[in-house]
Amino acid sequence: MLLHPAVYQHIEDELPSLYEFKLGLERAIAGPGHGVADEYWLNYLIRDEAGMMLGRLEATVHHGLAEVAFLFGHQHWGRGYATAGLRWLHDELTRSHAVTAFWGTTVPANHRSQNLLLRSGYVPSEPPRCTLYSYAPGDLVFRRSA
């Protein structure tokens, strides 16, 4: 279940309501809006072999790079699903959008996300010269080459 306090511990100050959760999904699926060229918002639902939803992967592609994000149900943590999902996402974005660099950001307290990024070949970095949309002051930044 994605709408769980453990999942949102490092994302929001409080758990979003079901309405806010659905609204966020609708905005993500809608994309960057009209008139925004060369920017793509990509969202992927991750399911197991039985079709049960495990989580989602997101990528915002712009300026030849991809900002990645991931959200998995807490009951699926530690089972390798997010690692396998990121591996697939890297291959897919390299193939379909010619992405040459991947970026991820996280708050310093989110050790699970930091460990996932490190296991997936990311290294700590300074932000790139172009804007990272997912970056907030104080965030840790990670980079991975394609």
Side-chain angles (χ1 to χ4, degrees):
M1 173 165 61
L2 295 182
L3 196 53
H4 188 276
V7 175
Y8 279 83
Q9 180 181 5
H10 301 292
I11 300 173
E12 302 285 338
D13 291 332
E14 60 185 43
L15 187 67
S17 68
L18 182 57
Y19 172 79
E20 293 166 329
F21 180 77
K22 288 180 178 179
L23 186 60
L25 287 175
E26 289 172 5
R27 286 182 181 148
I29 292 168
H34 301 293
V36 179
D38 297 323
E39 183 177 310
Y40 304 92
W41 293 8
L42 306 170
N43 299 276
Y44 302 94
L45 184 63
I46 306 302
R47 297 181 182 271
D48 67 10
E49 300 81 23
M52 185 175 74
M53 184 191 69
L54 305 173
R56 22 186 278 244
L57 295 170
E58 303 174 4
T60 303
V61 178
H62 61 96
H63 299 96
L65 61 84
E67 294 183 51
V68 301
F70 35 86
L71 198 65
F72 281 77
H74 70 284
Q75 67 274 32
H76 306 299
W77 294 351
R79 297 184 178 186
Y81 295 121
T83 301
L86 276 180
R87 188 171 37 253
W88 173 85
L89 185 63
H90 298 144
D91 292 343
E92 174 65 16
L93 297 178
T94 299
R95 183 192 62 75
S96 64
H97 291 277
V99 169
T100 59
F102 298 91
W103 295 83
T105 63
T106 185
V107 296
N110 192 342
H111 300 288
R112 284 186 178 275
S113 288
Q114 293 167 40
N115 289 335
L116 172 59
L117 291 168
L118 292 169
R119 273 194 317 275
S120 299
Y122 288 75
V123 295
S125 178
E126 293 297 317
R129 291 190 179 142
C130 67
T131 300
L132 287 179
Y133 303 143
S134 59
Y135 177 78
D139 280 354
L140 300 177
V141 178
F142 295 84
R143 181 182 194 281
R144 179 187 191 276
S145 296

